[in-house]
Amino acid sequence: MFLKASRAIVAGRWVSVVLWVLLAIVLVQFAPNLQEEANTSQQQARSQSRLEAFQAGELIAEKFPQVQEVANNQVTVTAFRDSGLTAADEAYLRSLEQFLATRKADIRLRETASPYSDPQNAATLISADRRAALMSLNLDMAYATEDNNAWLAQTKEIMPRIRGYLSGDAAERGGAPAAPVGLDLHLTGGNAVWGDAITLQEESLNRTLVMTLVFILAVLLIIYRSPIAAILPLISVGLALTISQAVLGFAADAGLSVSPNALVFLIIVLFGLGTDHSLLMFSRFRDSLLDGMGKQEALRGAIGYGGEAIFASICAVIVAFGGMAFAQDVNFKGIGPALAIAVFIEFLVIMTLIPAAMAIFGEKVFWPFAPSKVRARRLRAGGGAVIAKPGVFDRIASAVTRRPTRFIVVTVMVLLPFLGLLTGFRFDNNELRALLPTSTDSYQGLTVLRENFGEAAGAENAVSIVVESRPGGWGQPQLATVAELGRDLEALPGVSRVTVPTQETAAASVSADGTTVALSAELNHDPYSEQALDTVTDIRSALRESLRGTDLGEARTYVGGVTAEVRDNLETQKRDSVVIALVVLLGIFLVLAVLLRSLVAPIYMVATIVLAYAATMSLTVAFFQYVLGYEGLWIDAPIAAFVILVALGIDYSIFLMTRVKEEYHAHGRPNTEAVRNALARTGSVITSCGIILAGTFTPLLFSGIKSYLEMGFAIVVGLLLDTFVIRTLLVPAIAVKVGPRNWWPGRRRDVLVETPDQDESREPAPAHR
């Protein structure tokens, strides 16, 4: 297919360059902002989610806007002194509260509450040992559930301003009183927490882009020692990224679910894959020139055979990322399909711009390296024949193909014991711990809350309960039923208090349309703990049992809140893990079967990548849980790592096996020789691709975000394992053992007949060079 298209691609080289550049310029001018569209898209996805916790949140926002207003706009200043608050500390907190009252317009402040201004609630605002005090700030800000972008803009403006007032630097305080030396101050809760999380994600996005560009440029300069060959892939991928962001901006505006988390992976995946694919074509072009081919013939081979491998790779990646569309989790659904679209755009750009560059520059693309001059020197040195010295991968290829059984057994025996570490795998349900480093101001404030006011302190431990009935159905009998329901819930282990509507509070607790009533249950445990998750399950069961047979027996009930969301997400992701894994593996198998025209080779290609993933997760569990002492892995990490590792890790086996297929079918070589030649000729370039792709995920290790750190570690380790072990040793060894059956049910249409090599110790014939 690509051999036939190569002439058209080369002939239209200038048209391709002009069109892609113009398209990027036009789209940048008119496309919606992808960051803003992703925020809005995620907000819409949550509102349309079938998860009970999300439905509860949407119903509360719709029926009880005053409740949503308080929950949305509450932040807390924590004050702590290990030896106990002093009189000076308390005087400072009084003066700080008075100062903030003079700055209401600047920080959109409605009212404050502290042990000094609200004596009735002082017991809940100062710790029993008087080492910590709280000041609650009620702000007037946009609702995240209604206008995420406006909320985010206000959060970025207001939270730093409040923190400035708490600063030890006089210039930043802006006239606010100075805190006594040794008093520990933090701003936490609500907007402060999620504002920190989003700011960290944006900083990680920028850091990822810079680190990725620097890393790829350095590696390409080392590989090619040519500025042109190093810069051209970055320009091509940069155009692909620009166009992809614009297209996804339009798509999100039209209704495609796009997660803000997709933006980080968009940069990494496009630069990693795009550079790999550029490297593959450049290397094929250079090797052909070194073999004595003319420019046109070398270009045709690079586009034709290189394009086939790249197309196979892209199909596998698109299927893998597209498989995430079957997820129920809004985050997964918003990452996979968006990446699949971007990868397809990247394929179109790379398959036209890189050949265009090779056609325009010729061998000058490798300047100051000149393949024709190198070949001439080799001919002179060899007396008219090119004699290439065996390289590292020549020796590896000879060893693997000479004793394939040994390499299969040793590789599997080394990897299998690691799988035992998976028995200790645990999930870490703490969303804040996954998104915020412990050094973050808001996280430190939460630590003060938990350590001094109990592990369930703060609004996060509240469970929202919504009972929806027919309009006008909330009279005294129904309120009495709800009161009995409250007593049943309060009797549950793990529930400390339940707030129910009464005749006096019905006006605030019953919705304006008379259809819905809201309750609140406070938990005894950390809202992210297993005990809290079990309590949510108990509450949902108790709701059904308590209302059965009553005048509210037909009412619909919803349980929401932070803990309920974590529980629903965890159950959803367990289901998604199975569905996505099956869809991705089946889809990649079918892609490989069609592209390789075989049902045998795809089986062990898929099986080996699953083995690599299992070993990778074992090492990840060992490192984070046993070495670093983490409680477990964030719930997103395993399935996200699976999709990315399978999608990108299978690439290198595809690059290898398409070359084996070319050697076997197009050149008519025996199977063992085809494998040996393919491994020897592709070893260095595929290894370089693996290092580059692993390197593009390395910035995640420096993000400071626990979830990114875990995913980044797993992906980097998995890609390196696949590059140096699976593709280099295991897959070629299996391909040798399977022999001509690799291509069943297809048949080779040539006259060569291969005699199976029964003696693994026999020295193979020299590889064709």
Side-chain angles (χ1 to χ4, degrees), residues 708-725:
Y708 285 177
L709 173 61
E710 292 170 353
M711 282 187 279
F713 179 89
I715 293 167
V716 170
V717 170
L719 288 173
L720 293 177
L721 179 63
D722 188 78
T723 300
F724 289 101
V725 178

Side-chain angles (χ1 to χ4, degrees), residues 15 112 122 280 287 304 320 324 359 374 414 425 455 520 541 554 568 582 638 671 701 707 751 762 767:
V15 174
T112 63
L280 197 68
D287 289 349
M324 296 177 79
V374 173
V414 169
F425 171 78
E455 64 174 338
S520 176
S541 299
E554 300 302 318
D568 290 352
L582 292 176
N671 184 75
L701 304 179
S707 57
V751 296
R762 185 171 62 86

Side-chain angles (χ1 to χ4, degrees), residues 48 114 130 159 174 259 373 402 505 574 589 595 599 644-645 737:
Q48 298 167 2
S114 74
R130 303 191 69 83
M159 295 306 112
S259 167
K373 294 180 180 179
R402 185 168 62 247
T505 63
K574 287 179 180 177
F589 174 83
L595 293 170
L599 295 178
I644 292 174
L645 280 178
K737 291 298 294 181

Side-chain angles (χ1 to χ4, degrees), residues 314-327 332-333 335-341 580 583-584 643 647:
I314 288 294
C315 288
V317 171
I318 289 175
V319 165
F321 286 142
M324 296 177 79
F326 292 89
F332 288 159
K333 191 182 288 288
I335 291 177
L339 290 182
I341 292 171
I580 291 174
V583 169
V584 168
V643 173

